[in-house]
């Protein structure tokens, strides 16, 4: 019942070389309730045949030049940061773009960082900033009924129901959202968070009643959930208990000419 829940953490796969032997899966560290993430060591890993390059989606940070990147088509945890200061660019980088980064080493932090960056180039692909769309939705949801997420100590995210982002984009989205609010996001469904022991009971089950998550609350945390897609519409919810939740329902989306997205909430619900 109180087994550790996987927390968004390092699962770095180096572009152009293996991060683990063939067939081996890298496992992120786990945190039990009340634990704090230990500082990650900063080790430089020389990339074979450096300078190497890999392709990344710009998830956030283009407006400041401190980019948050998701490995293109990557798996969970493949999140990087890159400062464009001092780099020669033919035009500014934009959120939602796919870019190629040429580099010599990777610093094994979380998110990972590059060393010896020699070039950043734009790819011949159309900009698609749906990560920016979902970040806006999360911030809008944060602002409504703020009592549900005031003075949080723990922040949960569940993007498993989003069907139009890669796993690395979901990881980057979670990290940006958590970092904005000064918290390391805990990833998992409501059921997983309950089973991991983050929730406390509001009431004991009545005789003959089965114990369930509906009897619990997240006393010092809040879970943010996104489901659906930009093409088919999506729902968004924040949850602290069965009687403490706020939802954006039947949201519809349209893509703008510049690759950004706008959305309209079909209905809002509260419990």
């Amino acid at each position: 019942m109180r087994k550790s829940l996987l927390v968004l953490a390092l699962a770095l796969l180096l572009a152009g070389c293996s991060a683990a032997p063939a067939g081996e899966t890298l496992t992120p560290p786990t945190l039990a309730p009340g634990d704090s993430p230990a500082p990650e060591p900063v080790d430089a890993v020389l990339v074979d045949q450096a300078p190497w390059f890999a392709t990344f989606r710009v998830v956030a940070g283009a407006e400041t030049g401190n980019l948050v990147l998701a490995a293109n088509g990557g798996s969970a945890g493949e999140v990087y940061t890159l400062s464009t200061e001092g780099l020669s660019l033919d035009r500014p980088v934009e959120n939602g773009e796919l870019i190629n980064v040429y580099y010599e080493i990777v610093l094994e932090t979380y998110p990972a960082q590059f060393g010896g960056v020699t070039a950043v180039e734009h790819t011949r692909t159309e900009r698609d900033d749906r990560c920016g769309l979902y970040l806006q939705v999360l911030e809008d949801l944060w602002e409504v009924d703020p009592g549900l997420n005031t003075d949080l100590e723990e922040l949960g995210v569940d993007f498993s129901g989003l069907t139009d982002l890669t796993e690395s984009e979901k990881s980057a989205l979670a990290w940006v959202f958590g970092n904005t609010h000064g918290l390391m996001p805990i990833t998992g469904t409501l059921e997983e968070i309950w089973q991991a022991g983050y929730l406390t009971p509001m009431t004991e089950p009545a005789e003959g009643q089965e114990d369930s998550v509906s009897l619990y609350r997240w006393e010092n945390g809040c879970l943010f959930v996104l489901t659906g897609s930009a093409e088919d519409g999506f729902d968004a919810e924040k949850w602290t208990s069965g009687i403490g939740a706020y939802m954006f329902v039947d949201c519809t989306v349209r893509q703008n000419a510049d690759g950004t997205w706008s959305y309209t909430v079909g209905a809002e619900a509260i419990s």
Side-chain angles (χ1 to χ4, degrees), residues 82-221:
L82 172 66
S83 172
T84 59
E85 183 178 359
L87 296 178
S88 178
L89 301 170
D90 59 345
R91 62 177 173 82
V93 173
E94 296 181 301
N95 293 330
E97 277 193 285
L98 286 176
I99 61 172
N100 293 329
V101 179
Y102 292 79
Y103 57 93
E104 294 180 352
I105 60 174
V106 171
L107 304 179
E108 292 189 324
T109 59
Y110 192 84
Q113 302 173 67
F114 302 101
V117 175
T118 57
V120 171
E121 67 180 4
H122 303 279
T123 61
R124 296 179 180 178
T125 55
E126 293 184 0
R127 180 187 181 198
D128 186 345
D129 191 21
R130 66 185 68 204
C131 288
L133 162 69
Y134 294 128
L135 282 171
Q136 185 62 58
V137 173
L138 290 168
E139 291 303 325
D140 292 344
L141 190 58
W142 180 279
E143 292 298 326
V144 296
D145 201 359
L148 295 177
N149 46 258
T150 299
D151 298 326
L152 290 186
E153 297 177 15
E154 295 168 332
L155 174 64
V157 294
D158 177 14
F159 302 151
S160 59
L162 276 182
T163 60
D164 58 344
L165 295 185
T166 66
E167 294 305 311
S168 57
E169 289 170 341
K170 292 177 186 178
S171 293
L173 182 68
W175 185 84
V176 172
F177 182 49
N179 188 61
T180 298
H181 298 285
L183 295 167
M184 174 65 79
I186 301 165
T187 60
T189 64
L190 177 57
E191 189 79 10
E192 290 168 338
I193 287 172
W194 171 50
Q195 291 178 352
Y198 285 94
L199 309 185
T200 56
M202 294 186 294
T203 182
E204 294 297 326
E207 186 176 353
Q209 181 183 16
E210 183 179 354
D211 191 22
S212 71
V213 72
S214 64
L215 302 176
Y216 288 73
R217 69 177 183 274
W218 200 344
E219 189 170 357
N220 57 357

Side-chain angles (χ1 to χ4, degrees), residues 5-120:
L5 181 67
L6 289 182
V7 178
L8 180 68
L10 180 63
L12 175 62
L13 302 179
L14 300 179
C17 64
S18 296
E24 180 178 340
T25 301
L26 294 179
T27 304
T30 61
L31 290 182
D35 288 349
S36 297
E40 296 289 346
V42 182
D43 296 325
V45 179
L46 183 64
V47 179
D48 294 340
Q49 301 175 335
W52 200 251
F53 86 91
T55 305
F56 302 89
R57 175 77 64 186
V58 182
V59 172
E63 59 280 356
T64 64
N66 296 311
L67 308 180
V68 179
L69 308 175
N72 187 38
S75 57
E78 290 190 83
V79 184
Y80 299 73
T81 58
L82 172 66
S83 172
T84 59
E85 183 178 359
L87 296 178
S88 178
L89 301 170
D90 59 345
R91 62 177 173 82
V93 173
E94 296 181 301
N95 293 330
E97 277 193 285
L98 286 176
I99 61 172
N100 293 329
V101 179
Y102 292 79
Y103 57 93
E104 294 180 352
I105 60 174
V106 171
L107 304 179
E108 292 189 324
T109 59
Y110 192 84
Q113 302 173 67
F114 302 101
V117 175
T118 57
V120 171

